[in-house]
Amino acid sequence: MLWIILIIVIAGCVFLPGLWVKHIMSKFQQPADRYRQQGSGGEFARHILDRFGLNDVKVEETPDGDHYDPGAKTVRLSPDNYSGHSLTAVTVAAHEVGHALQDSRGESLFLMRQKLARTAMVGERIAGIMMFAAPVVLMLTRIPQAGALTILIGVLSMGLSTVVHLVTLPVEFDASYGKALPILKEGNYLHDGDLKHAEKILKAAALTYVAGSLASLLNLGRWIAVLRR
């Protein structure tokens, strides 16, 4: 019974943040024309970028979810937020522009995340190879320590992804509360009463990676437990 409760708690920690984020984003997509006079999310992103002199940063629609691509210097918004005129659309646009501002100012945490992300991609490949190789190494060498060492290398490589997730969280919160929220407040872009709702959307945007962070930590913990055996 204790294990069942533990599994339910862990599953809740991993999946509930993602469900809450989807709920908040969907909730404030209505009314869909609330900010029609101010323009769509894509147009609002373009306005803020120009306001801060980031004329070289592009704004594009993407099916791959809202994000800022530092390599292409592009704010990419999902179809609903790129073409939409809802509170969610303009608030998410402000959040992604927040990342463009972090990039343009060379902020240390943002730059660290980019470097770690590239390293983590290599680490994930190494981790996958090591985990598959461990039984083979053990079978060929018949030395338990050799198999354990192979798994250890895989776990350490996997840990790079966990570090990236942990660094991502403060970067996301800064994009929401250090960049987007002051922009929305000082520019008086929102209708009366919408700021408190925009704060919920910004929290949801910042927490998008929490589920991934928890899953990464749990996965790392599982392999460490295996290694200790």
Side-chain angles (χ1 to χ4, degrees), residues 12-118:
C13 289
V14 172
F15 293 111
L16 286 179
L19 293 174
W20 182 79
V21 167
K22 289 181 180 178
H23 167 70
I24 292 296
M25 295 297 187
S26 176
K27 178 179 180 180
F28 294 107
Q29 282 178 341
Q30 302 298 327
D33 61 348
R34 185 160 179 77
Y35 286 88
R36 184 165 295 279
Q37 291 183 341
Q38 265 183 246
S40 66
E43 291 168 335
F44 186 57
R46 179 74 271 155
H47 165 74
I48 303 174
L49 288 166
D50 291 343
R51 174 185 157 190
F52 284 92
L54 301 182
N55 311 94
D56 59 327
V57 177
K58 296 178 289 185
V59 182
E60 295 178 354
E61 182 178 336
T62 179
D64 299 326
D66 308 290
H67 64 280
Y68 170 68
D69 183 344
K73 302 294 181 185
T74 302
V75 169
R76 296 199 169 103
L77 301 172
S78 61
D80 285 343
N81 291 330
Y82 182 83
S83 302
H85 299 80
S86 65
L87 178 61
T88 292
V90 297
T91 305
V92 169
H95 171 86
E96 298 306 335
V97 169
H99 287 309
L101 288 169
Q102 291 171 334
D103 186 19
S104 70
R105 295 170 182 175
E107 297 188 4
S108 57
L109 271 179
F110 181 87
L111 297 177
M112 183 190 301
R113 182 179 73 169
Q114 298 311 117
K115 292 177 182 177
L116 286 173
R118 289 191 289 269

Side-chain angles (χ1 to χ4, degrees), residues 191-213:
H191 300 319
D192 290 343
D194 275 358
L195 187 62
K196 61 182 180 181
H197 301 312
E199 289 186 31
K200 292 180 182 178
I201 297 169
L202 290 172
K203 182 184 291 184
L207 292 178
T208 300
Y209 293 90
V210 166
S213 300

